[in-house]
Amino acid sequence: MKRLAFIALFAAGAFWGLGFPLGKLALREIDAAHMVLLRFAVAALAAAPFAFRDAQTRALFRSPPVLGAGALYGVAFMVQFEGLAHVSVTLAALLVGAMPALIAVSARLLGEKVSRASWAGVAAATLGAALIAGKPDAGSSPFGVALSLIALLIFLAWLLVLRRAPQTASPMAIPAVTVVIAALTILPIALVMHGPPRLDLSIAAWAGIVGQGVLSTLVATAAWQFGSARVGAASAGVFINIEPLMGAGIGVALFGDQLSLALAAGGLLIIAGSLAVVLGERSTPVIDTPAPTPA
């Protein structure tokens, strides 16, 4: 079962990584906040059949952990993309690379056992993400850095709250409800701050938005929920670094970016770190907290 969980976590990181090239298609014609709104609107439509399929799943809309996770997920994306407007891409990628270390530390503080091999894997993967991100330039504003850091902490809170979500018969139930709640959270924020989005976009832009909504949001969230519920938090967190690795790989393959020594070394460190976590997880029992039943 853990092997399948790790495959799901790898898929989640890969699909989140696809969000960057898919987003570039839409950002040519629409601003970031409206792109996030449309992305989650598409994801919510795709998630609706799973979110409203039966009474047990609909009851999740009254579950405090699920409500909290959905709201945090939506707010985190809004804050992150607002911050991205004021910082460099390299700095944003570097911050994402620090996420697994934060998850590992928080897991340890919350009493979860983290093996030495897992700690080594987290360190290697974090260093690899930092190498891929490169040195952040001086063009980033303190406001943008602050928003990016806040978004990182909100994502961390989302991950921790999500682990307290109730158990369900369908693996798609909680991810689907979470995405719908996130979309409902984003809607008023985006409308108040930026007004209604324009919908007269090109086919390429809509392809990017639909791809983000279905793959980089709903499928990635479902894969993450499945995998992270079956392994330790620190072990799951290291797979977030697949996101910058995926983005860098696509940049080299499709956008003409150069394969630098730092990029190659960073990719190898991420892969090695992920393998170290997998090996460490095999010998470390997972301490699960009993989940409450849906209200």
Side-chain angles (χ1 to χ4, degrees), residues 1 5 21 29 31 44-45 49 51 57 60 79 164 177-178 193 205 253 271:
M1 181 59 73
E29 305 176 29
D31 61 76
L45 289 175
T57 305
L60 293 173
V79 174
R164 299 184 62 83
V177 173
T178 299
M193 293 182 63
I271 294 172

Side-chain angles (χ1 to χ4, degrees), residues 80-126:
Q80 182 186 55
F81 276 87
E82 288 295 330
L84 281 174
H86 303 278
V87 299
S88 65
V89 174
T90 56
L91 177 57
L94 182 58
L95 290 173
V96 171
M99 191 70 179
L102 287 176
I103 294 174
V105 171
S106 65
R108 187 67 185 89
L109 292 175
L110 292 174
E112 182 177 306
K113 186 175 181 181
V114 181
S115 69
R116 292 182 179 179
S118 294
W119 276 117
V122 168
T126 302

Side-chain angles (χ1 to χ4, degrees), residues 99-269:
M99 191 70 179
L102 287 176
I103 294 174
V105 171
S106 65
R108 187 67 185 89
L109 292 175
L110 292 174
E112 182 177 306
K113 186 175 181 181
V114 181
S115 69
R116 292 182 179 179
S118 294
W119 276 117
V122 168
T126 302
L127 177 59
L131 288 174
I132 288 175
K135 295 180 180 179
D137 56 37
S140 301
S141 72
F143 177 69
V145 172
L147 286 179
S148 298
L149 290 173
I150 291 171
L152 203 65
L153 294 175
I154 297 174
F155 274 121
L156 178 62
W158 166 69
L159 293 173
L160 297 177
V161 171
L162 194 61
R163 293 179 68 84
R164 299 184 62 83
Q167 296 178 346
T168 59
S170 171
M172 285 298 297
I174 291 177
V177 173
T178 299
V179 166
V180 172
I181 294 171
L184 294 175
T185 302
I186 290 170
L187 179 61
I189 297 174
L191 292 180
V192 169
M193 293 182 63
H194 303 283
R198 51 175 294 222
L199 303 177
D200 56 334
L201 305 175
S202 68
I203 295 177
W206 274 114
I209 291 171
V210 171
Q212 281 186 302
V214 176
L215 297 177
S216 302
T217 305
L218 178 58
V219 175
T221 305
W224 177 269
Q225 170 65 19
F226 177 86
S228 63
R230 289 160 175 80
V231 301
S235 300
V238 76
F239 287 88
I240 291 177
N241 276 329
I242 300 297
E243 182 178 350
L245 176 60
M246 185 78 174
I250 291 176
V252 171
L254 300 179
F255 292 92
D257 294 346
Q258 296 297 316
L259 180 60
S260 65
L261 179 60
L263 177 58
L268 289 175
L269 280 171

